[in-house]
Each structure stands twice: as structure tokens, then as C-alpha cells.
Amino acid sequence: MKHLDSRLRFAVAGLMLTLAAAGCGTTTAAGGPGDDGTASGAAEFSQEIHDRLPEAVRRRGAIRLATDPSYAPMESYGADGRTIIGFEPDLAAALGSVTGIRVEMAAADFGSMIDETNNGTYDGVLSSMTDTPERKKKIDFIDYFSAGLALVVQRGNPQGVTDLKDLCGQVVAVERATVQVDMLRRTQPACGADPIVVHTFKTNADALLQVRTGRAVAILIDYPPAAHLATDPRTRAQYQLASTVQYEPGLFGIAVAKDNPELRDALRGALDQLIRTGRYADLLERWGLANGAVASSSINAGAGADG
């Protein structure tokens, strides 16, 4: 058990964000595009929130969160191919500063993250995961961001895709086990005898490759990474938005096992502190994501929530 006189040590430890995937190195909270990579205005440690953490987490000294680092600017590998950078790693580091516990972001398969959290491999998920009724049957969400879905096509839009109806009879790439797969399934009846050919892939990066090489006419992803692809100097020559429409806006949540309410409530308390002090807004601004800000945290408040 750490004590009040360890606050400085906690604050320093909280800023360290380690990559726990096999064969991967250590990463720290990264700076936003164009800055020097140093974190500014570290969040203040809270003894009260620290004491609310599960004893097992406090004894271990780390919170393990699964992520898929193929979703810039939310989370992606940096130039070294090992360090995970983005808004969500920075948010994780800030949560670590408040709780006084190191936060580990582990690269994982998006499709198995919920099951691996429930079996104890990870303490939770921080990977742009939408809070949906189906997922809430298995896991709890601490909602922290809002965004809709968007269509990304090759630069020049050779197939003239501007809306979901233009996908009928076309090949579309998506990451498996995502809300995008569900949305395309619900869109199929409107296509009649000319259905969308949906190809799913393990990672978003794999799906993007299909669009870049012309094997798919579009990819359906969350708006923040879609806009990033269309504007970032490294990718804008390959991709563009089919339109500025955001389909089915929803809430992203940190996923925590239903049998771990102590961790859920402690992380929510830490998020509330970040929102209240303005640190949350600073991180969003750093990554150009201010439009996705939520005014306050919530639990399981995504579409279809019971309350």
C-alpha cells in the first residue's frame, strides 16, 4: 500500500505508459502532432481515487488495458514501430497520474479484447470501442468520447462513392468485430439483389491496405481516424473522405469487466477529475479531437442504454 508521502513518486509513475505486448518495448505518454513528444501539465494524483482501486491492482502496481494501435490519431505506433502514441495513450497516462498506478497499453486483437478482459488477461480495453447494447451484455463502459462513422475511399474517389447506397455491389473492407460490420449488415436490405461484399480483417491497417491497393472501394471507420487519413501528410495522397457525413454517432468507452466495479468506478473518478481540471480538453486539443469531447463521464450510456 502506498501512502500520502509517496505522491511525487506516484505522479512520476503515472506518466509512464508501458507497452505490455510480447516482444514490444516501453512507451511513454506521447505529444501531439508537431510537438516535441513531451507531456505538459501532468494530472494531479488523488489519494482518494487511488484507495478506491482494487487491492490486486494496487499490489501489482499497474492497470493493463488492451488496444489496437492501428487507429491514428486515437492510437497507433510511432516512428520507431514500438511506441504507441495518440489521444488514448495520452489519456491512459493521465489516468495513471491521477490514480498513482502505472497504465500499460497492450497491443491486442480487437475482436477478442472483451473476452480477454473478462478472463483476466487485461484489466480493460481502451481502443476506440463503441458502447453498444450488445457489448454491454458482457462488459461495462466508462464513456469518454463521441464520434460517428465515415466512409474513406482512394484519393480521387474512382468509383464515385458518396453514400452508403453507393456501396451496393461493391467490395468494402472493415475491421472484424466492429460496429462498422453491424452497420453494413443493416444496410444490406436496401441493396436488394446487389449486396455489399463485406471483407473483414484483423486490424484496421489490414483493411486500409485493401482500399489503397484498389481491392476494396471503401472502408467504413470512425470519423476521427477517417479525417486523419484524409488530412495527414503521410496518408492524404492515398485516401479521402467520401463525404463529411458521420453515420450513427455513438460513445466510446473504456471497457471493464462487470465483476470489477471498483476499477470501473476508480477510473471514472479519475476521468471526471481530468474533465473537471481541463486536462481532458487539453489532450483532445493536442490531437485535434475537440469536437468529440463529452461534458461529463457516464457509465453504459451508449445507444440503447437502459438508463
Side-chain angles (χ1 to χ4, degrees):
M1 173 79 68
K2 306 294 184 182
H3 298 288
L4 205 59
D5 59 1
S6 299
R7 288 188 179 188
L8 179 58
R9 182 151 47 97
F10 280 138
V12 174
L15 284 174
M16 296 180 63
L17 184 64
T18 59
L19 181 62
C24 294
T26 298
T27 180
T28 58
D35 69 19
D36 62 3
T38 58
S40 61
E44 183 178 352
F45 167 69
S46 168
Q47 184 70 51
E48 185 271 332
I49 292 173
H50 172 82
D51 291 344
R52 286 159 53 189
L53 289 165
E55 182 180 353
V57 168
R58 286 184 277 124
R59 188 166 55 244
R60 188 196 314 139
I63 298 169
R64 302 169 299 187
L65 301 178
T67 197
D68 172 15
S70 64
Y71 223 51
M74 306 305 282
E75 57 269 320
S76 64
Y77 286 119
D80 62 4
R82 296 166 60 87
T83 304
I84 299 178
I85 64 172
F87 165 68
E88 290 177 341
D90 278 4
L91 178 63
L95 293 169
S97 294
V98 175
T99 61
I101 293 291
R102 186 176 74 254
V103 177
E104 298 174 351
M105 294 282 276
D109 183 344
F110 189 87
S112 63
M113 288 176 183
I114 289 178
D115 289 341
E116 290 180 296
T117 295
N118 284 329
N119 71 21
T121 302
Y122 307 113
D123 295 307
V125 176
L126 182 52
S127 192
S128 303
M129 183 171 281
T130 304
D131 174 352
T132 68
E134 190 63 29
R135 286 172 176 159
K136 279 188 291 239
K137 294 176 183 177
K138 299 180 178 180
I139 207 155
D140 284 339
F141 286 97
I142 308 149
D143 302 316
Y144 63 92
F145 190 78
S146 176
L149 303 177
L151 283 169
V152 172
V153 296
Q154 273 188 337
R155 175 61 62 181
N157 197 3
Q159 300 302 317
V161 174
T162 61
D163 193 39
L164 292 173
K165 61 179 173 50
D166 298 324
L167 302 179
C168 296
Q170 305 282 4
V171 175
V172 178
V174 286
E175 185 173 4
R176 69 176 62 125
T178 61
V179 295
Q180 292 91 298
V181 177
D182 295 334
M183 185 176 182
L184 291 171
R185 174 179 50 78
R186 295 194 305 274
T187 302
Q188 293 285 24
C191 291
D194 200 20
I196 303 167
V197 180
V198 181
H199 290 178
T200 62
F201 298 88
K202 181 177 180 180
T203 71
N204 187 66
D206 293 334
L208 275 172
L209 178 62
Q210 303 300 303
V211 176
R212 183 166 61 83
T213 57
R215 285 174 281 182
V217 302
I219 181 173
L220 184 64
I221 57 176
D222 291 299
Y223 184 80
H228 181 81
L229 286 166
T231 57
D232 187 270
R234 294 164 294 185
T235 55
R236 65 189 180 195
Q238 286 83 43
Y239 306 105
Q240 71 179 64
L241 291 172
S243 74
T244 58
V245 174
Q246 290 195 49
Y247 303 98
E248 299 186 352
L251 293 170
F252 293 179
I254 304 171
V256 178
K258 287 184 175 295
D259 63 359
N260 201 355
E262 290 179 314
L263 179 60
R264 179 198 66 199
D265 294 343
L267 287 175
R268 184 187 186 182
L271 176 60
D272 283 339
Q273 178 169 309
L274 295 175
I275 293 173
R276 185 173 60 252
T277 61
R279 179 62 174 153
Y280 166 78
D282 289 344
L283 294 179
L284 287 170
E285 188 67 31
R286 173 185 296 178
W287 290 97
L289 297 168
N291 288 342
V294 295
S296 61
S297 70
S298 53
I299 301 293
N300 296 330
D306 295 326

